[in-house]
Amino acid sequence: MNDNRLGTAVSPYLRLHADNPVDWREWGPDAFAEARERDVPVLVSIGYATCHWCHVMARESFADPEVAELLRRDFVAVKVDREERPDVDSSTMAAAAAFTEQLGWPLTAFMTPDAHVFFAGTYSPPTPVGQHPSFRQVLGAVLDAWRDRRGEVDANATALATAIRQGALDAAQDEPGAPAGAEPGLPSVGAIHDVVIALQRSEDTTYGGFGGAPKFPSAPLLEFLADAGADGVAEASALVERSLRAIAESELTDPDGGVFRYATRRDWSVPHYERMLYDNANLLAVAPRDQARGIADFLRDTLRRSDGAFVAAQDSESTIDGRRVEGEWYRRPLAERSTLDPPPLDDQVLTGWNGLAIRGLAIAGARHGDDAMIAAARAAADAIIDAHVRDGHVVVRSSTPRGVSTAPPTIEDVGLLAEGLLELALVTGQVGYATVARSLVDDGLRGALDVDPVLASAGTATGEQPQTALRSGTVALGGAATMLGTLTGDDTYRAAAVALVADRARTGVQRPLGHADALGLALALQRPSREVVVVSEHPSELGVVAFGARRPGTLVLVVTPAQAGDWAASGFALLEGRATKDPAAYVCHDRVCALPARSVEQLTGQLASS
């Protein structure tokens, strides 16, 4: 009997497995209660809808009736979408690191009924390959240990859960003190600048980018380098320019402008063909004009829904001539593609990832004077606020045309959306986006986020883990708090930002790849505060000059006189008394302003001397 329960799931990844003969359950207390009652281990399989090797393992193993029967008899099988449940993914990844260095997806973990991992791995083939056992052999070894060495299994699982808990505590308590000359808790500006030198040494001087194969775009790292370059580190500007050019001119960038997740070879060739919203949104914030417009076109033409929100990704596989193949659609000329069915979309709308897209489009639109990008950012913001936010609070992490996921919002959703809305407010002058963002930041700083009951009971909730490809929600919350401190004059926001980012930034000095976004914010928090406010009914020329002056520590806001009044009435003290002159551009340091500049020439001169 097949009791597969994924047919009504909201997640597109779970629904892909609805026809498997495996009796899949969704993650939740009921699955672990069943395992406790039957005294069997829990198989937790984690992936996402556009993951090629997840598809492969599904075809090879989870579609096999004999494997399904083994799982039905001796396990409780649970499917998890890592995009829908990043909290479960983070906790499981932390435990899986004890068993394999090759972390990734599909992630296969075996847990006790108390949700403690006692073994984990990634993809397993249907038959043995060299020293790599087959999936059936893995299942057999797990069952042998469960039945014959149960005491050892339980003890090891408990010890691993304890280690994860202690690791989270140690990360908060045992970091080294702040170096001399730094903001308390933050690495010094000099130490952050020195990271650029270390990154120079790891640059691939032949093909661009960092490291060997596989090679990732590492957008948060590029944004940190751009920040360091704007802060006067010339080597950083050259590094990011070379890397972005290599990405744009290589196979990693499709002719339609979209960027693939990574290249399997050092020279950026043979991409892993899935295209994620977060990679492309991240790159928008730093890409030069033509590259940014190509990415924005891809978001508009491929990932954008009719309501303006963006879906999560486009698959690496498509069906051509009746056969499911990876990459073939992308290897065809653009004109030929239009005659074929495109790769399917992962149609989840994720709050945090849309926040990242809103941020990237707003920043790129302002920098390049591209109103279409800003309009796309507004449409996405309006769609997410309408469907995923209620009374200024994120209430939905993920939704699809089939409904709303029960997965709780995470720090990623709150932080990335808040930061994106604030960047959009600065560009459009619309204070409504800033007031929603302020409510979100207040939620995040209060820690008003639910912890999954299974992880809470197991004691293995790790919170957000550092990532190399996606801007951290924790850092984004800190960035939003920093902007709010400047806009409101409330220094508690800035202090909160320092507290959020300090540990990650100190770690980032030694290990920048997973913490580059924290280094960028730590740099901004220690530079002289500069506020540039443009007030004009027709601010285009002054606005372009102002946004071109962005650097760490600088906030730029462009408003009409009426909008300036709205900001002041909403409690944003930076705008008080700014509604009377038109046009006027105010260049301020720590909220002490020079005389208003009334022309592009005057503003350019003030910015050059500040």
Side-chain angles (χ1 to χ4, degrees), residues 439-450:
S439 179
L440 299 181
V441 170
D442 291 344
D443 274 356
L445 297 182
R446 284 196 302 268
L449 295 166
D450 294 333

Side-chain angles (χ1 to χ4, degrees), residues 145 178 238 259 263 305 436 498:
V259 177
R305 297 198 323 182
V436 174
V498 172

Side-chain angles (χ1 to χ4, degrees), residues 32 34-43 73-76 109-119 138-158:
F32 289 90
E34 179 185 341
R36 194 172 298 112
E37 180 181 344
R38 292 172 50 200
D39 193 31
V40 296
V42 180
L43 163 69
R73 186 182 68 232
D74 295 318
F75 296 85
V76 170
F110 297 91
M111 299 185 182
T112 69
D114 294 327
H116 294 161
V117 175
F118 65 90
F119 184 71
V138 171
L139 294 178
V142 167
L143 284 175
D144 287 345
W146 182 260
R147 291 165 176 165
D148 301 336
R149 300 188 300 279
R150 181 64 177 276
E152 181 182 340
V153 166
D154 288 339
N156 289 342
T158 300

